[in-house]
Amino acid sequence: MDFVSRREWGARSPRGSYTALSSTRGVKIHYTGGRVDPAIVDDHDKCVKMVRSIQKSHMDGNGWMDIGYSLVVCPHRKVFEGRGIKHLPAANGPGLNSGHYAVLGLVGSSGLVTPPDGMLHGIVDAIEYLRDEGDAGREIKGHRDGYATDCPGDKLYSWVKRGAPRPGAQEPSDPEPPSGEAPEWPGRELKYPPVMRGDDVRQWQARMKERGWGIAVDGAYGPRSREVCRSFQREKGLPVTGVVNKATWTAAWEMPVT
């Protein structure tokens, strides 16, 4: 990842201390909402100036303590450090910031509206970084998912809805098929609190880890297991209870990985 630190892009210091963020369900993708000069594609200095301008707008216009995004990505596949990892963003909307990191692509509602390949690669780089270093979950959403807005614009959102593939990657025409028959239902629901332990917990955790979820296979069903369960249920259209019942258990093996 071609990372541009706050010092390198000349960020102002935040007005206070960030609220800590230990993990998220994933990442939400944003656009600027205004006109973006297409000339930034050929002039990276304009990208730097634009990021500074966004920080100024958020701090002096919105009254926020800092730029609202976790990371910002420009057409040159450079990833600018915003609030960064393990810090609560401000751009997702009231009550929604703790659920996802916020990543801005420097496209807008006019001017540059179609994200260049370099920007899409950079957004994927940013997502992978947030997963590896910031404990972000597997979800990739648009700002409009759960908040009344046009963000991140139709062009960028259609890419998000396709699963945010890297440019040039072959996109499957159909969802990944089910991976096989589920093992026998253990006969008890896995839930927290209190912490439940057992081989059935370990088996379910191992399956979720195999599917790509960030979860420890320790045989203890605690807060993180419940969080992963809820995110999985939400993704699959199941009742979001955080309880591994028979339907959720079966879905972990038999529903496609998306």
Side-chain angles (χ1 to χ4, degrees):
M1 183 178 70
D2 194 348
F3 189 73
V4 182
S5 69
R6 291 175 63 90
R7 180 185 60 78
E8 289 171 321
W9 64 265
R12 290 162 56 180
S13 298
R15 290 201 182 102
S17 299
Y18 297 116
T19 299
L21 188 65
S22 59
S23 65
T24 71
R25 295 194 301 273
V27 177
K28 282 191 173 175
I29 308 301
H30 296 249
Y31 78 159
T32 68
R35 185 180 188 278
V36 173
D37 185 354
I40 70 169
V41 174
D42 300 313
D43 187 349
H44 179 61
D45 287 343
K46 292 184 183 295
C47 299
V48 178
K49 291 177 182 177
M50 189 172 180
V51 176
R52 290 184 191 140
S53 175
I54 292 168
Q55 185 191 38
K56 177 179 174 60
S57 174
H58 286 183
M59 295 181 73
D60 299 341
N62 295 0
W64 295 350
M65 63 170 288
D66 194 5
I67 191 171
Y69 304 106
S70 307
L71 300 169
V72 179
V73 182
C74 80
H76 307 96
R77 198 173 174 174
K78 294 183 182 293
V79 179
F80 291 77
E81 182 182 20
R83 295 197 179 194
I85 59 172
K86 302 293 186 179
H87 297 149
L88 188 77
N92 291 332
L96 300 174
N97 289 305
S98 62
H100 298 80
Y101 285 105
V103 175
L104 172 69
L106 290 184
V107 289
S109 56
S110 63
L112 182 64
V113 298
T114 300
D117 284 355
M119 184 180 296
L120 298 180
H121 274 298
I123 293 174
V124 177
D125 292 343
I127 291 168
E128 292 177 350
Y129 167 72
L130 290 169
R131 288 174 176 172
D132 291 343
E133 304 296 334
D135 200 20
R138 306 297 298 180
E139 289 185 352
I140 305 174
K141 301 286 188 181
H143 185 198
R144 67 177 67 175
D145 292 319
Y147 191 80
T149 177
D150 291 332
C151 184
D154 291 341
K155 299 286 190 180
L156 194 51
Y157 188 62
S158 66
W159 174 74
V160 169
K161 294 297 286 182
R162 296 198 310 273
R166 284 199 181 274
Q170 184 175 0
E171 298 181 42
S173 56
D174 298 301
E176 184 177 325
S179 56
E181 186 176 344
E184 184 179 354
W185 161 243
R188 68 167 183 165
E189 294 182 338
L190 310 181
K191 54 189 175 182
Y192 168 85
V195 174
M196 294 181 67
R197 292 180 169 82
D199 291 339
D200 51 352
V201 175
R202 189 180 302 275
Q203 186 177 20
W204 178 82
Q205 289 172 330
R207 177 58 179 163
M208 297 307 291
K209 187 176 182 67
E210 184 179 88
R211 291 180 69 106
W213 295 88
I215 187 171
V217 183
D218 57 7
Y221 193 91
R224 178 58 180 165
S225 292
R226 181 179 63 183
E227 180 183 347
V228 168
C229 177
R230 286 175 173 167
S231 296
F232 175 71
Q233 289 170 330
R234 188 176 295 106
E235 179 184 284
K236 299 306 179 189
L238 298 166
V240 181
T241 62
V243 176
V244 183
N245 56 13
K246 186 174 182 179
T248 301
W249 176 275
T250 301
W253 275 269
E254 297 186 0
M255 292 193 76
V257 177
T258 55

